[in-house]
Amino acid sequence: MGIAVEVADLYKSYGSVRAVDGVSFTVEEGEIFGMVGPNGAGKTTTIECVEGLRRPDRGTVRVLGLDPQRDGYELRRRIGVQLQQTALHPRLKVWEALDLFGSFYPRRVDGNSLLEQLGLADKRNAPFDKLSGGQKQRLFIALALINDPELVFLDELTTGLDPQARRAMWDLVRDVRNQGKTVFLTTHYMEEAERLCDRVAIIDHGKIVALDTPENLIRSLGAEQRVVFSADKRLDMGMLRQAPGVTRVERVGERVVVYGKGEGLVSGVIGLLERAEVPFRDLRTEQPSLEDVFLALTGREMRE
Amino acid sequence: MRGLLKLTLTQMKLYLREPVATFFTIFFAPLMLLLFGAIYGNEPSPLFGGRGSMDVSVPSYIGLIIVTVGLIGLPIGTASAREHGVLRRFRATPLHPLAYIVSDIINYLLMTVLGVLLLFLTGKLVFNVRFEGHLLSVLGGFLLGTLAFFALGYLVAGLAPTARTAQTVGMVLAYPMMFLSGATIPWEILPKGIKAFAQYIPLTYVVRLMRGLWFGDAWSQYGTEVAALVGCLLVGGIVAAWTFRWE
Ligand SMILES: Nc1ncnc2c1ncn2[C@@H]1O[C@H](COP(=O)(O)OP(=O)(O)OP(=O)(O)O)[C@@H](O)[C@H]1O
Ligand SMILES: [Mg+2]
């Protein structure tokens, strides 16, 4: 597999704000690469430096073997771009937008089947300002795919979409990747990064704090899984520690959290509770997730 | 090239979908002509050197259309497309930035031409107004005046931080010009004191040049007007190119 994007020592400041503070990474051909981080972390600045829309203060960027600043024209024919901040003329109709943007490229795909795929077919004749936020978002994704690009940039792919549309969008992105294209996306949903991306860069304050596959990131944390349930106050906490793999037990009021590792944890805990005939409710398990990775690396919750 | 053509056609469609812009660009001047024609008629008058009021109004109103498009429509359109992030989306495509500007200019130019055509047709059909000039010569003067005002319009858009400011500045510049340049109120009836000042207004040069060429005068009689408009075009164009922003 070749390299689609190569970024080395990228710096970009706005006045005294250091938006991107020494970032290096590569995106491999054919992968879904995600950049995840909180608001203001520097995701948009990074991705737009890669697209050639912003000029880095320092550092090198190569995209499909090209320099985005010098060979921007050639590059923009081969990439598809969905911007976080953009709009179309309020009275431009959906089909006109696809027709117009398609005309800028030597190679393009059928606009109608794109609309079909994105669930916008019945909005063909709707003007831009009559679309809902999610529909606008889907139109911009259609525009990013109109030229059959080798590499697609999606900045805040699913912001403003409802959960159902979000899942549909994930399927679409996987489809795009399965056609052999490379996807570089940003998101501030850890769950999205975890479920969609082949590799994830976690960015905070303009720096990449971790970069790996979601599984490796979670594993490297050595984080525990949790069994959470509510039980009567008389429950003997010491008894729970006998379940296999338990590392610690916490309780706040009626809520009990058992931390531990290994296969037998859940069944062990349930077995003990049943044998002791302790009534319990709302039992669920929580796997360690990228949220935990972020928390561990930055000492902060991803969202307040 | 295909993109440039498609973009220009799309921009024109979009322009005509804006009722307010369409009204002021295309229908306002002909309606003014009908209104004042109903009041004053088109009898030959010594005030206009033996021509009728409508005869001189048609070339003068061309100035009205030019200033409306150049200093109101164009700065608002440009600054709001920039502010809403419409221009950014084009920048992410292989469309050449120059192609965008060219298509923008062609669009505004054709809209202005449409307004002028309807104005002339109204004058011709309703008042049988006179045209005594050479088509190419009038076309040349029209192009010079229009492009000079477009340059000023892009300059306003480039210097204004927001679309709202661009709109305000454009209107503050445009409205006095409309009334003091002879574009609406005939130059012949403006008070002397106002004329002394109004002769330096850019739109005055457009109106004088258009009226002169319309009735067959030679370009050589309008050295000052041509020099002033070329100056606006160059200074406006250079500063506009300097201050143009995509976001
Ligand atoms: N054009 C700009 N001018 C000035 N400051 C900017 C500009 N763009 C971004 N910034 C600042 O740079 C920092 C990084 O912004 P950026 O948009 O790259 O973050 P982000 O990770 O994309 O955030 P979000 O999740 O909110 O989209 C922020 O502090 C932001 O305020
Ligand atoms: Mg962003």
Side-chain angles (χ1 to χ4, degrees):
Chain A
M1 276 284 139
I3 303 254
V5 177
E6 196 170 5
V7 173
D9 279 321
L10 184 70
Y11 289 84
K12 174 83 184 175
S13 298
Y14 304 102
S16 62
V17 180
R18 284 198 165 190
V20 177
D21 196 10
V23 155
S24 305
F25 60 91
T26 55
V27 178
E28 279 157 34
E29 272 175 18
E31 75 171 337
I32 302 177
F33 180 88
M35 188 164 261
V36 60
N39 289 139
K43 303 182 293 295
T44 297
T45 306
T46 305
I47 203 170
E48 291 195 355
C49 283
V50 173
E51 293 158 358
L53 296 177
R54 301 194 194 192
R55 186 182 287 278
D57 296 338
R58 200 140 61 78
T60 54
V61 179
R62 303 287 292 177
V63 185
L64 303 175
L66 300 167
D67 174 347
Q69 291 297 328
R70 225 191 41 227
D71 319 310
Y73 179 75
E74 162 73 12
L75 178 63
R76 287 194 292 274
R77 288 161 67 142
R78 294 168 55 190
I79 62 174
V81 173
Q82 179 232 328
L83 300 165
Q84 184 181 2
Q85 294 271 10
T86 189
L88 297 174
H89 191 290
R91 297 193 209 283
L92 187 66
K93 293 176 183 169
V94 167
W95 75 266
E96 290 171 333
L98 285 163
D99 190 37
L100 174 63
F101 281 81
S103 75
F104 302 150
Y105 300 92
R107 193 174 74 190
R108 59 200 160 270
V109 296
D110 177 34
N112 283 329
S113 59
L114 265 184
L115 291 181
E116 203 72 59
Q117 230 180 323
L118 284 156
L120 275 178
D122 56 333
K123 292 286 165 191
R124 258 187 114 252
N125 288 309
F128 182 73
D129 68 344
K130 293 282 186 292
L131 298 178
S132 74
Q135 290 164 345
K136 286 178 182 166
Q137 185 80 346
R138 280 181 273 162
L139 174 56
F140 282 122
I141 290 168
L143 293 183
L145 298 173
I146 191 74
N147 60 326
D148 195 20
E150 295 163 49
L151 167 60
V152 191
F153 295 93
L154 305 168
D155 193 3
E156 301 280 328
L157 167 70
T158 59
T159 302
L161 297 187
D162 56 39
Q164 197 183 340
R166 176 167 301 154
R167 296 238 146 64
M169 199 58 77
W170 293 350
D171 287 340
L172 180 89
V173 172
R174 289 190 193 107
D175 272 0
V176 167
R177 190 262 317 269
N178 292 343
Q179 290 163 29
K181 302 179 196 308
T182 310
V183 180
F184 180 173
L185 60 84
T186 78
T187 177
H188 53 250
Y189 299 112
M190 286 291 174
E191 189 203 352
E192 180 164 290
E194 194 175 322
R195 302 188 43 176
L196 186 58
C197 298
D198 298 313
R199 286 190 313 137
V200 175
I202 298 181
I203 183 167
D204 190 34
H205 295 306
K207 288 187 157 77
I208 291 183
V209 293
L211 195 170
D212 209 329
T213 63
E215 302 77 51
N216 283 347
L217 287 171
I218 293 165
R219 198 176 311 138
S220 71
L221 194 61
E224 300 146 320
Q225 65 171 296
R226 294 174 291 256
V227 181
V228 184
F229 58 91
S230 302
D232 193 276
K233 293 238 172 59
R234 287 164 305 176
L235 169 67
D236 171 16
M237 302 288 283
M239 180 262 292
L240 286 172
R241 292 205 181 88
Q242 296 162 15
V246 172
T247 49
R248 71 203 152 93
V249 180
E250 267 173 21
R251 103 175 277 166
V252 182
E254 296 217 315
R255 208 175 105 100
V256 180
V257 185
V258 183
Y259 293 85
K261 285 180 195 166
E263 303 287 300
L265 181 70
V266 186
S267 54
V269 170
I270 295 176
L272 283 169
L273 290 171
E274 284 181 339
R275 231 169 300 139
E277 295 184 356
V278 179
F280 62 92
R281 283 169 285 121
D282 305 332
L283 182 135
R284 65 176 194 277
T285 64
E286 288 175 356
Q287 303 301 322
S289 69
L290 277 186
E291 298 274 357
D292 300 301
V293 177
F294 185 81
L295 180 67
L297 289 171
T298 66
R300 286 180 291 123
E301 294 275 356
M302 175 70 185
R303 268 181 308 267
E304 52 277 15
Chain B
M1 201 57 216
R2 220 175 62 91
L4 177 69
L5 194 68
K6 181 76 87 184
L7 181 62
T8 310
L9 287 174
T10 307
Q11 302 264 51
M12 289 173 65
K13 260 199 282 192
L14 292 173
Y15 197 100
L16 294 172
R17 277 181 202 160
E18 297 287 349
V20 178
T22 305
F23 174 77
F24 280 104
T25 309
I26 299 173
F27 298 108
F28 184 63
L31 282 176
M32 290 261 295
L33 197 73
L34 289 174
L35 178 69
F36 285 103
I39 299 173
Y40 297 115
N42 196 25
E43 293 310 306
S45 151
L47 183 64
F48 302 120
R51 300 189 178 103
S53 174
M54 293 303 101
D55 290 332
V56 298
S57 287
V58 169
S60 308
Y61 286 1
I62 292 177
L64 184 65
I65 302 174
I66 290 177
V67 74
T68 307
V69 176
L71 279 185
I72 301 178
L74 189 151
I76 296 177
T78 307
S80 68
R82 179 184 70 208
E83 192 166 304
H84 293 128
V86 175
L87 298 186
R88 301 189 79 218
R89 190 61 193 80
F90 288 112
R91 260 197 76 208
T93 72
L95 181 76
H96 198 284
L98 207 61
Y100 181 85
I101 310 281
V102 167
S103 119
D104 209 46
I105 293 173
I106 295 177
N107 165 44
Y108 286 117
L109 186 65
L110 290 180
M111 290 301 138
T112 313
V113 168
L114 216 59
V116 171
L117 275 180
L118 197 65
L119 173 69
F120 177 68
L121 274 177
T122 309
K124 188 77 204 160
L125 295 178
V126 181
F127 304 107
N128 193 27
V129 295
R130 292 190 238 177
F131 175 72
E132 294 161 3
H134 303 281
L135 187 61
L136 278 184
S137 158
V138 170
L139 213 58
F142 167 75
L143 266 182
L144 175 62
T146 306
L147 292 180
F149 268 78
F150 286 6
L152 296 178
Y154 283 117
L155 180 149
V156 170
L159 290 177
T162 64
R164 186 153 280 262
T165 322
Q167 173 173 12
T168 311
V169 173
M171 285 184 168
V172 164
L173 291 175
Y175 283 120
M177 285 204 211
M178 286 179 188
F179 298 109
L180 301 179
S181 61
T184 43
I185 306 165
W187 182 256
E188 285 80 356
I189 65 172
L190 286 179
K192 235 197 173 70
I194 289 187
K195 278 188 197 170
F197 157 76
Q199 61 180 323
Y200 301 111
I201 292 177
L203 193 60
T204 307
Y205 300 117
V206 176
V207 173
R208 274 202 232 143
L209 183 63
M210 286 320 294
R211 267 183 71 169
L213 299 177
W214 193 265
F215 295 114
D217 288 353
W219 278 68
S220 55
Q221 287 169 257
Y222 295 92
T224 321
E225 285 77 7
V226 171
L229 291 174
V230 169
C232 286
L233 180 60
L234 289 181
V235 173
I238 290 168
V239 180
W242 213 293
T243 53
F244 190 87
R245 283 165 289 147
W246 292 95
E247 51 191 279

